Amino acid sequence: MNTLILDALSNFRQLPTFGENKFNSIEIINNIENDNETFERIILLQNGNIDNVPTRFKNVLVSDTSAENVLNVMIKEAKNSDNVVVVNATNPFFDKEFIHKMFFQHRDFLADYTYAIGYPDGLVPTILSLSCLKQLQAISKENSFDVVKCKNYLFQLLSKDINSFDVETFVAPVDLRIKRISIGNSDLGEFIFTLSLVEKLGVNIAYDDLANFLSEHSENLFSTIYTMFVDITDKEITSATYLPKCTSSVDFANVEKIEKIAQEVMEVNSKMRIIIGNKCEPMIHPNFVDIVN
């Protein structure tokens, strides 16, 4: 028996719909796998942000998203499966031929763990034997973390003792890792980027064709702002040879104003990185700790 696990734990709001038929990503997966007998069980792991789950999916709500608990849930739901295929449930691209090729190679080569490198994060699934999943669960007891903050959490655990596993690897036609591309619906940037890709390419594109498109059309990689630099003082403790001096007329920024700016920025993107101290020395601000908090 084999189990398909759809991981939607990082989904930050209701899934968007795509195309003329207005299907969301799990409905697309359901339609493609509807007549297939590869997976006897299909499990949706989610945080409660998805309604209208297809009846053939077992809908599992997970409130504790620590790695140890998530793997416990996976093992429990996989029951006596030989292999488990973990798919990003918020990814609308489901290349059935590619996924089945991965699965059959994993099965025929008796691999513990099969994954792909060079593709955008969240695009290609990970395949594990049930025994491998149990070993990773044991590793997670001493290396637990929040899986919502780490999309590649399964590989993160595997890397702690990778030489103990038989690993099969699929390599992208072009290595996109340096571009830090992420597909899905875990934040506003992923949502905008994924929606734009579907509008240009549709949902039936092969993974390799998608990788080649992103490599050849870098103008499609932009989505929303992820980083903001802010100075909280115009004071310096050393003189810079090349960097222009701060021109602010205020010695120290007001804490309440910084808090207001931070709140407004996080409404733009909840995963915004705020870098304090672009030109001047932030730690001489008398309320530095309050601002960080």
Side-chain angles (χ1 to χ4, degrees):
M1 185 170 76
N2 303 295
T3 296
L4 177 63
I5 292 182
L6 310 180
D7 183 348
L9 297 176
S10 64
N11 181 46
F12 83 119
R13 61 183 182 186
Q14 284 293 332
L15 295 173
T17 56
F18 307 97
E20 295 180 359
N21 295 321
K22 297 298 180 182
F23 290 136
N24 62 33
S25 54
I26 62 172
E27 289 171 333
I28 290 170
I29 295 170
N30 182 49
N31 293 337
I32 293 174
E33 283 294 334
N34 195 35
D35 298 322
N36 191 276
E37 298 180 355
T38 304
F39 307 110
E40 289 82 358
R41 293 173 56 80
I42 300 181
I43 311 297
L44 173 66
L45 303 185
Q46 65 145 319
N47 54 17
N49 285 334
I50 301 177
D51 299 327
N52 301 321
V53 177
T55 55
R56 67 191 294 246
F57 294 178
K58 182 175 180 182
N59 185 25
V60 180
L61 298 180
V62 181
S63 56
D64 177 1
T65 55
S66 65
E68 182 180 358
N69 183 64
V70 170
L71 266 68
N72 275 334
V73 173
M74 286 184 174
I75 293 168
K76 176 183 176 182
E77 297 301 334
K79 296 187 181 300
N80 296 318
S81 295
D82 298 308
N83 299 290
V84 176
V85 180
V86 182
V87 170
N88 172 17
T90 66
N91 166 32
F93 303 104
F94 192 82
D95 185 349
K96 176 180 175 179
E97 299 301 323
F98 187 99
I99 294 171
H100 286 191
K101 180 180 178 181
M102 281 185 72
F103 175 77
F104 292 131
Q105 183 165 316
H106 170 89
R107 184 195 64 185
D108 295 345
F109 287 13
L110 303 177
D112 295 315
Y113 187 99
T114 299
Y115 76 117
I117 60 173
Y119 293 92
D121 285 347
L123 180 67
V124 182
T126 297
I127 307 174
L128 310 88
S129 66
L130 186 61
S131 61
C132 176
L133 195 59
K134 291 179 178 178
Q135 286 177 270
L136 295 186
Q137 192 275 335
I139 292 173
S140 73
K141 291 182 179 179
E142 296 182 358
N143 300 275
S144 197
F145 51 87
D146 189 346
V147 304
V148 173
K149 298 179 180 179
C150 181
K151 182 164 286 189
N152 296 318
Y153 61 91
L154 292 171
F155 188 80
Q156 179 87 356
L157 292 168
L158 181 85
S159 64
K160 301 296 182 182
D161 193 17
I162 194 169
N163 292 327
S164 298
F165 300 93
D166 183 358
V167 179
E168 286 292 317
T169 307
F170 281 70
V171 181
V174 55
D175 193 344
L176 296 172
R177 285 175 291 182
I178 195 172
K179 297 184 183 294
R180 299 184 180 181
I181 306 169
S182 187
I183 289 176
N185 195 48
S186 68
D187 59 48
L188 181 63
E190 281 191 5
F191 165 76
I192 293 173
F193 176 63
T194 304
L195 192 62
S196 175
L197 277 184
V198 173
E199 289 174 351
K200 292 180 174 67
L201 305 173
V203 296
N204 297 318
I205 187 169
Y207 289 160
D208 286 348
D209 293 339
L210 179 59
N212 285 324
F213 174 84
L214 293 173
S215 173
E216 296 167 2
H217 300 278
S218 296
E219 69 277 8
N220 292 281
L221 300 183
F222 300 99
S223 55
T224 191
I225 301 169
Y226 273 89
T227 304
M228 183 185 78
F229 293 89
V230 58
D231 272 306
I232 59 176
T233 176
D234 61 1
K235 294 184 179 298
E236 303 165 333
I237 57 176
T238 59
S239 58
T241 304
Y242 301 105
L243 188 66
K245 290 184 68 65
C246 295
T247 58
S248 170
S249 60
V250 180
D251 289 345
F252 300 110
N254 179 276
V255 177
E256 287 72 23
K257 288 185 178 179
I258 293 295
E259 183 177 7
K260 184 175 185 295
I261 290 171
Q263 289 173 345
E264 292 176 351
V265 165
M266 297 302 281
E267 289 176 3
V268 174
N269 184 359
S270 62
K271 292 190 176 180
M272 184 76 73
R273 300 171 182 88
I274 300 177
I275 312 300
I276 301 176
N278 182 27
K279 294 182 178 180
C280 299
E281 175 51 57
M283 294 189 70
I284 61 176
H285 193 294
N287 303 110
F288 174 73
V289 174
D290 293 334
I291 291 173
V292 171
N293 290 335

